[in-house]
Amino acid sequence: METEEKIMESEAVIEETPKTNPIEAQYNEGLKNEEIKSLAAKVNEQSAQIEELNQQLSDAKTRLALLLAGIAQEKLDESAALAAGICKAGRSPEEAAKEIADAYPHLKAVKNEMPKFAASGSGADDGFSAVRRIFAKR
């Protein structure tokens, strides 16, 4: 009796499973493989884009650290190349910028200070006395 029930159950399961054509199964398998290949190509493309963006971000951080360390804007490309080598050794961009600024002082920005003149003279020969005399007569 038990065997008859098992046979009936197995026949019911067989009837419930859809019967697929072997050619149709191969076609469906091919579609799945194409989808997988397509998705893998997209993942590889996006991975390359992420790598490029990470590189650009790292370069921007390095350049910012160099500018904050006082490196001249005209010397930024040269300094960035030096900093990239130091950063590959495991140092942060800030540490690399400080090391470059200390080791290569010619890369630092030169601050041009404008001379300051004061017009506070009270003497007769302070340079502004002639101007004061002209306006005093008016």
Side-chain angles (χ1 to χ4, degrees):
M1 194 88 144
E2 290 179 22
T3 56
E4 288 179 15
E5 288 177 8
K6 288 183 180 178
I7 292 173
M8 292 178 87
E9 286 177 15
S10 62
E11 286 178 358
V13 169
I14 291 173
E15 288 178 10
E16 289 177 10
T17 57
K19 297 180 182 177
T20 57
N21 185 351
I23 296 173
E24 186 178 335
Q26 284 180 347
Y27 177 75
N28 289 338
E29 185 74 23
L31 287 178
K32 288 178 186 176
N33 286 338
E34 287 178 21
E35 285 182 45
I36 291 171
K37 288 177 185 177
S38 172
L39 291 174
K42 286 180 183 177
V43 167
N44 288 336
E45 181 181 320
Q46 290 176 347
S47 176
Q49 288 176 345
I50 289 172
E51 289 285 328
E52 183 180 340
L53 290 173
N54 280 337
Q55 181 63 32
Q56 289 176 357
L57 178 63
S58 175
D59 187 48
K61 285 180 180 179
T62 302
R63 287 177 181 270
L64 177 62
L66 288 166
L67 288 172
L68 291 175
I71 300 297
Q73 198 170 14
E74 301 82 34
K75 306 283 185 171
L76 199 57
D77 291 333
E78 182 181 342
S79 302
L82 291 169
I86 294 172
C87 288
K88 285 182 183 176
R91 294 200 178 132
S92 71
E94 292 80 14
E95 293 172 339
K98 183 178 181 326
E99 186 175 328
I100 289 171
D102 292 341
Y104 303 100
H106 66 280
L107 296 176
K108 288 186 178 182
V110 177
K111 295 180 182 177
N112 294 331
E113 292 187 24
M114 298 295 292
K116 296 180 182 176
F117 298 102
S120 65
S122 60
D125 60 346
D126 66 353
F128 291 100
S129 60
V131 175
R132 277 195 302 270
R133 272 185 263 137
I134 293 170
F135 286 107
K137 292 178 184 178
R138 290 187 181 186

